[in-house]
């Protein structure tokens, strides 16, 4: 079997997606998600100009070898752009292999370990009353787990809170908008939000919260400790995690579980966090963390430390990543939860999906491969639009983490 060609499809049905399509001499093709929010064209160029010419002629069945070819072989290893490209190649190759064997991807990853995939929804509100109401709506929709973000009194911007009643989308057309932030206002307010939510909805619903890299280590320790009575499923990215040792400080003070890694891209970002058991959930998604081949190793390594997966699943990852994640989550033993932020309906004009949400869980069907297809004619109707993530400054103007 040989790879005969490959191409990159960029489209923007409501938001940008980059898709790699690899063709073979057996008439079977594979799809991989190469979307890196706000940096889409960097990955597309890297794939088109550097990776695709080297892929042609290779045997697509040799996934492990091809993975190392694009990881070790390029010398400038790691980094978000190149790992996103490696991930897309890897996903497309697994798609080809499973289609060739006429079986759903999860069968090649160990088969079924569970019947359904627990997911968490996003919920937010401009103020506490709206937030409580919106959490209730998600519970009514059947969700068993809800991520809660809330506007902070005195702050014009809070991470994850939709503006003008639109649904929250992590990207904005044009140049990055600037947001303003004050951690002390946030820290004083947010534990009270969870206290109220527990009062209203009781203790059964799983609650999650994304700190989005905005606390110092000691601030994060305070937050984790103050949230402890409300038994969160996790807090995510409590600190910007370049200084991984800082997680020790949080652990010394709290048993609130911690999820980290949506901006990571290899197992080396996790070694200290696993071996010292400084986190509980892996956020690194298949499309940024080296694809299925690498995440299998990461998940296996994590399993020895009783750490589970909780993959990133925001709308800036395409339906291909979500479907691939559902296969992966079906197969591994140490699955924890999957983020599920449904794409806008218009996305389904381009991507034909094979999964559904029902009563708090997701299900993937048994079509061969990853099971998602792309309609290229429809994709061509939605040309690329420049869109960027916001940047964030402290209220005195100091540049900060978004
Ligand atoms: C999450 C995230 C996202 C990111 C986004 C950036 O936990 O879902 O933090 O919403 O901000 O994916 O592109
Ligand atoms: Mg996050």
């Amino acid at each position: 079997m040989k790879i005969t060609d490959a191409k990159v499809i960029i489209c923007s049905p409501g938001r940008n997606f980059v898709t790699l399509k690899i063709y073979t001499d057996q008439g079977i093709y594979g799809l991989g998600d190469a979307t890196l929010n706000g940096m889409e064209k960097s990955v597309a160029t890297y794939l088109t100009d550097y990776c695709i010419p080297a892929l042609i002629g290779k045997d697509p069945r040799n996934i492990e070898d091809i993975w190392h070819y694009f990881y070790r072989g390029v010398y400038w290893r790691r980094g978000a752009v190149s790992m996103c490209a490696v991930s897309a190649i890897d996903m497309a190759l697994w798609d080809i292999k499973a289609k060739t064997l006429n079986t759903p991807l999860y069968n090649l990853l160990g088969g079924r370990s569970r019947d359904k995939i627990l997911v968490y929804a996003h919920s937010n509100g401009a103020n506490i009353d709206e937030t409580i109401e919106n959490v209730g709506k998600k519970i009514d929709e059947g969700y068993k787990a809800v991520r809660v973000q809330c506007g902070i009194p005195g702050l014009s911007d809070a991470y994850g809170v939709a503006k003008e009643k639109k649904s929250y989308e992590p990207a904005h057309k044009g140049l990055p908008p600037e947001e303003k932030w004050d951690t002390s206002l946030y820290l004083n307010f947010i534990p009270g939000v969870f206290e109220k939510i527990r009062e209203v909805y009781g203790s059964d619903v799983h609650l999650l919260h994304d700190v989005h890299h905005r606390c110092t280590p000691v601030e994060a320790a305070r937050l984790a400790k103050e949230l402890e009575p409300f038994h969160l499923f996790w807090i995510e990215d409590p600190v910007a995690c370049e200084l991984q040792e800082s997680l020790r400080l949080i652990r010394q003070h709290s048993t609130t579980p911690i999820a980290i890694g949506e901006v990571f891209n290899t197992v080396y970002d996790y070694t200290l966090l696993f071996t010292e058991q400084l986190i509980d959930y892996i956020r690194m998604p298949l499309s940024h963390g080296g694809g299925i081949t690498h995440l299998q190793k990461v998940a296996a390594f994590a399993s020895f430390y009783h750490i589970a997966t909780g993959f990133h699943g925001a709308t800036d990852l395409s339906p291909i990543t979500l479907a691939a994640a559902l296969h992966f989550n079906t197969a591994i033993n140490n699955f924890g939860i999957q983020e599920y932020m449904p794409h806008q309906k218009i996305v389904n004009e381009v991507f034909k999906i094979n999964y559904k949400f029902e009563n708090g869980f997701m299900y993937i069907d048994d079509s061969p491969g990853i099971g998602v297809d792309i309609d290229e004619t429809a994709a061509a109707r939605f040309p690329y639009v420049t869109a960027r993530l916001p940047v964030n400054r402290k209220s005195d103007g100091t540049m900060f983490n978004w």
Side-chain angles (χ1 to χ4, degrees):
M1 199 173 188
K2 291 262 175 290
I3 294 172
T4 49
D5 200 4
K7 72 173 173 193
V8 171
I9 303 157
I10 306 181
C11 62
S12 194
R15 60 156 307 105
N16 291 320
F17 295 111
V18 180
T19 306
L20 174 68
K21 186 169 186 178
I22 299 182
Y23 299 88
T24 67
D25 58 359
Q26 316 268 305
I28 287 172
Y29 61 82
L31 297 176
D33 178 18
T35 312
L36 188 58
N37 201 9
M39 293 188 167
E40 295 88 355
K41 287 194 169 177
S42 323
V43 185
T45 304
Y46 178 51
L47 280 167
T48 308
D49 292 357
Y50 301 96
C51 303
I52 291 176
L55 267 175
I56 294 171
K58 287 194 166 33
D59 186 332
R61 293 171 298 187
N62 299 334
I63 300 178
E64 183 76 13
D65 181 69
I66 294 175
W67 193 91
H68 285 279
Y69 183 96
F70 288 102
Y71 180 79
R72 289 169 198 265
V74 295
Y75 191 65
W76 308 111
R77 59 183 67 179
R78 306 171 70 182
V81 172
S82 57
M83 290 309 289
C84 187
V86 174
S87 306
I89 295 168
D90 186 77
M91 246 184 262
L93 296 180
W94 279 100
D95 193 26
I96 290 170
K97 191 182 282 281
K99 282 176 177 164
T100 310
L101 298 169
N102 196 28
T103 191
L105 174 64
Y106 69 80
N107 262 340
L108 305 186
L109 308 179
R112 265 193 191 284
S113 279
R114 59 190 54 76
D115 305 323
K116 50 189 185 175
I117 306 300
L118 177 68
V119 294
Y120 72 88
H122 279 208
S123 177
N124 63 79
N127 53 50
I128 197 157
D129 292 336
E130 201 177 288
T131 303
I132 290 172
E133 192 185 324
N134 289 338
V135 169
K137 286 184 189 157
K138 291 295 162 195
I139 296 172
D140 292 345
E141 285 170 34
Y143 285 96
K144 315 285 179 228
V146 184
R147 184 188 93 157
V148 183
Q149 309 295 134
C150 184
I152 311 295
L155 270 184
S156 53
D157 311 289
Y159 163 74
V161 176
K163 295 234 165 99
E164 298 144 18
K165 308 249 172 219
K166 290 186 191 143
S167 65
Y168 170 73
E169 268 285 342
H172 304 262
K173 295 198 167 60
L175 286 172
E178 295 214 357
E179 298 190 346
K180 281 274 157 53
W181 180 250
D182 186 324
T183 309
S184 60
L185 292 179
Y186 164 78
L187 285 176
N188 289 342
F189 183 72
I190 209 75
V193 173
F194 284 90
E195 183 175 12
K196 285 249 165 61
I197 291 173
R198 281 291 180 226
E199 266 167 40
V200 177
Y201 298 113
S203 53
D204 286 349
V205 61
H206 294 303
L207 300 175
L208 301 84
H209 179 63
D210 192 344
V211 187
H212 227 254
H213 325 267
R214 292 178 184 202
C215 286
T216 63
V218 76
E219 286 167 348
R222 167 185 157 189
L223 178 66
K225 188 170 163 178
E226 290 183 7
L227 287 173
E228 216 171 72
F230 315 118
H231 297 155
L232 268 61
F233 189 95
W234 76 37
I235 53 169
E236 178 188 343
D237 290 328
V239 286
C241 195
E242 288 94 339
L243 180 65
Q244 304 207 320
E245 292 82 347
S246 68
L247 269 294
R248 291 180 187 141
L249 190 74
I250 308 174
R251 286 298 215 204
Q252 279 158 18
H253 293 280
S254 160
T255 57
T256 298
I258 296 170
I260 277 185
E262 68 182 32
V263 302
F264 289 179
N265 43 62
T266 72
V267 72
Y268 301 105
D269 297 313
Y270 277 113
T271 40
L272 182 86
L273 303 183
F274 287 173
T275 53
E276 290 198 19
Q277 292 184 272
L278 298 178
I279 61 166
D280 303 279
Y281 295 95
I282 305 163
R283 291 283 291 150
M284 188 166 78
L286 297 172
S287 57
H288 299 158
I292 292 148
T293 299
H294 197 57
L295 256 309
Q296 275 189 310
K297 293 168 188 175
V298 175
F301 182 18
S303 74
F304 303 129
Y305 297 91
H306 299 200
I307 292 166
T309 60
F311 289 160
H312 186 203
T315 44
D316 47 296
L317 310 180
S318 95
I320 302 169
T321 295
L322 179 56
L326 293 172
H327 285 284
F328 195 95
N329 294 333
T330 298
I332 59 164
N333 178 265
N334 58 327
F335 163 71
I337 199 167
Q338 169 68 48
E339 180 177 21
Y340 178 47
M341 198 184 165
H343 291 105
Q344 299 169 43
K345 283 214 172 68
I346 199 174
V347 173
N348 298 339
E349 290 183 28
V350 174
F351 293 97
K352 303 297 158 203
I353 60 171
N354 59 335
Y355 48 78
K356 62 174 185 197
F357 169 81
E358 231 174 62
N359 201 23
F361 296 87
M362 288 192 78
Y363 299 83
I364 185 112
D365 76 16
D366 272 351
S367 42
I370 293 174
V372 171
D373 209 354
I374 186 165
D375 177 339
E376 292 185 54
T377 316
R381 293 205 311 269
F382 303 103
Y384 171 79
V385 181
T386 306
R388 306 284 294 275
L389 288 166
V391 294
N392 198 20
R393 291 183 187 277
K394 293 186 188 173
S395 36
D396 68 356
T398 309
M399 195 61 208
F400 195 47
N401 312 320
W402 177 71

